[in-house]
Amino acid sequence: MNDDITDQLTANGLTESLMASYVREGGINHVEGKNLPSKHAIAEITSDMLRLLFPGFFDETLIHFSDLSAVTRALLDSVLSRLENEITKSLEYAPPAGSAGADPRDLARSIALKFLGNLPQVRELLQTDTDAAYSGDPAAFSKEEVILAYPFIETIAVQRLAHELYLDNVPLIPRMMTEWAHTRTGMDLHPGARIGKYFFVDHCTGTVVGETAIIGDHVKMYQGVGLVAKSLAAGQALRGHQRHPTIGDRVTIYAGATIMGGDTVIGAGSTIGASVFLTTSVPEESLVVLEATNVKVIPKKSRESFVLDYQI
């Protein structure tokens, strides 16, 4: 009995302390009035969108072609209803310009229908990305393996979906979608980035592409590449301005390269070497390599004469 009383007192004290924090610090969802989109709901919707883009690849059970139309219709109905609910919350949180007096749910349904209507075009783009991944990686066994196993395909699929909502000025949800993919794959593609056809990032871990980046067609990148802004010291004053680089067609960017700035343009057909740190534009058909490093190779038997000073 005493243990029960102690547990109850402890729970009461913890609850009071946490409630005081809510009042003092804020940072809670809108528990009264209009609520924000649900992270759980957006994750489930995004997962189901992958099923619509790649039938059979993200499903737990076998789908026969004779059943595909019915399965697709049922999934589309489900996604439409749930997405409409989440977009409504987003529009109530931040009504778009010029929508004064409009019913948020009617607008949300219109946006959701347009979004789902664009799925065939998104699939066409993703087919080019799959082709680029398969043709650009000798380790790829088949295009099916690329879809099933390559985290890049999942990430670019979600980004291309989120980009459609971003273009319709839907708040919150596009970033929630891409961050869901980011946590799963380690690749951070902002929904605002404009990415051309036949895009491929090999290995993909640690790659970052910022909101205003523009990437042309047939661009190939490797892990750890950053297309980022030079400085964010001005904060919100930079919103709406070009902050990230433009990458021309047929550019290859090797692992660990960082390209910075909204006025930086990488000319078509260029190759950016590994670990390059670039803040200026380069003309078409350029080769940019890092030459300032010094690497020493010595026989292990003579290493006593070579002083190592590793500090961690």
Side-chain angles (χ1 to χ4, degrees), residues 180-226:
W180 176 80
H182 182 192
T183 60
R184 289 169 57 85
T185 67
M187 185 178 180
D188 185 1
L189 301 181
H190 194 283
R194 292 156 54 186
I195 302 175
K197 299 177 292 185
Y198 294 95
F199 182 54
F200 177 43
V201 182
D202 202 357
H203 307 296
C204 92
T205 305
T207 299
V208 178
V209 176
E211 179 182 24
T212 61
I214 301 172
I215 299 174
D217 297 337
H218 295 276
V219 170
K220 183 176 183 180
M221 306 195 315
Y222 289 81
Q223 69 274 14
V225 168

Side-chain angles (χ1 to χ4, degrees), residues 118-133:
N118 287 337
L119 289 185
Q121 289 75 30
V122 173
R123 294 193 75 246
E124 289 178 9
L125 279 173
L126 290 171
Q127 182 61 55
T128 72
D129 300 328
T130 303
D131 289 345

Side-chain angles (χ1 to χ4, degrees), residues 270-286:
S270 295
T271 297
I272 311 300
S275 301
V276 165
F277 187 88
L278 195 58
T279 60
T280 57
S281 297
V282 299
E284 295 184 0
E285 301 296 335
S286 295

Side-chain angles (χ1 to χ4, degrees), residues 156-201:
I156 189 59
V158 173
Q159 195 277 342
R160 293 200 186 280
L161 290 168
H163 185 67
E164 296 295 319
L165 295 175
Y166 177 93
L167 292 177
D168 272 332
N169 299 308
V170 175
L172 303 177
I173 292 175
R175 193 67 183 274
M176 294 170 71
M177 293 171 66
T178 55
E179 290 302 328
W180 176 80
H182 182 192
T183 60
R184 289 169 57 85
T185 67
M187 185 178 180
D188 185 1
L189 301 181
H190 194 283
R194 292 156 54 186
I195 302 175
K197 299 177 292 185
Y198 294 95
F199 182 54
F200 177 43
V201 182

